Amino acid sequence: MKLRCLRGLTLIELLIALAILAVLVNIATPGFRDSKTRLEIDGALQDLVNAISMARSAAINENVMVTFCRSPDGKLCKGGWENGSIIFTDANADRILNGNDRLLYRFPALKPTGKLTFNSFRNQQYLQLTPRGSTNNQNGNFTFCPANGDPRLA
């Protein structure tokens, strides 16, 4: 039986291989980072769609006006949409959580950094759902602009 000696790598061959690997990793990293950011944004926007559906369902099931508004403190309709929001029954449609109104759900601040805006008729920064499940004579759209300003992620 004859033993063979395996040839190892020289230091220069190893350094070249590591340099090629480093270049490949640097090329791939931005794509992975963008994919992660896109997934976070998509998840946040899906949460927004779910919140509107939840508010609509509550309005129909409880036969009462329901308000969905921005609220970082979970009590008052103010601040930025990206800082949190609330859904509550709003029997007198005053957009204030008072009297017999009940807080139905509080959403935390968005995980992806950026600005979430609601562009609506007369710049109303809330959405009200009637007991029939329609909006209270409102229309508009939500727009998310990422903190890095990349329009591909908007």
Side-chain angles (χ1 to χ4, degrees):
M1 176 186 250
K2 196 175 194 183
L3 294 176
R4 298 175 107 193
C5 261
L6 297 177
R7 182 176 177 260
L9 294 174
T10 65
L11 182 58
I12 293 183
E13 290 171 332
L14 184 61
L15 289 175
I16 290 171
L18 287 175
I20 291 170
L21 181 64
V23 168
L24 292 174
V25 167
N26 281 333
I27 290 171
T29 301
F32 289 133
R33 203 173 315 123
D34 285 350
S35 294
K36 180 181 180 244
T37 303
R38 170 54 68 196
L39 286 173
E40 286 177 351
I41 292 169
D42 288 347
L45 295 180
Q46 186 59 51
D47 289 346
L48 180 63
V49 170
N50 292 342
I52 295 168
S53 294
M54 182 185 301
R56 183 175 184 268
S57 293
I60 293 168
N61 291 336
E62 298 194 24
N63 197 33
V64 67
M65 184 78 76
V66 171
T67 297
F68 173 49
C69 66
R70 56 193 180 166
S71 178
D73 66 0
K75 296 175 185 163
L76 300 173
C77 291
K78 64 177 183 176
W81 285 96
E82 67 276 2
N83 298 322
S85 55
I86 56 175
I87 296 173
F88 61 94
T89 60
D90 195 3
N92 60 3
D94 64 354
R95 300 175 313 277
I96 299 172
L97 185 56
N98 57 15
N100 290 331
D101 297 340
R102 288 181 305 112
L103 179 65
L104 300 175
Y105 199 82
R106 180 179 179 191
F107 295 92
L110 294 179
K111 184 176 181 184
T113 57
K115 183 133 181 90
L116 180 64
T117 57
F118 181 52
N119 304 307
S120 65
F121 183 63
R122 292 182 289 193
N123 197 27
Q124 298 170 330
Q125 291 302 304
Y126 59 89
L127 190 60
Q128 285 185 319
L129 289 303
T130 69
R132 291 184 145 185
S134 61
T135 63
N136 190 18
N137 299 312
Q138 296 173 282
N139 61 359
N141 60 46
F142 284 92
T143 304
F144 179 79
C145 295
N148 67 7
D150 186 348
R152 295 173 300 141
L153 299 174

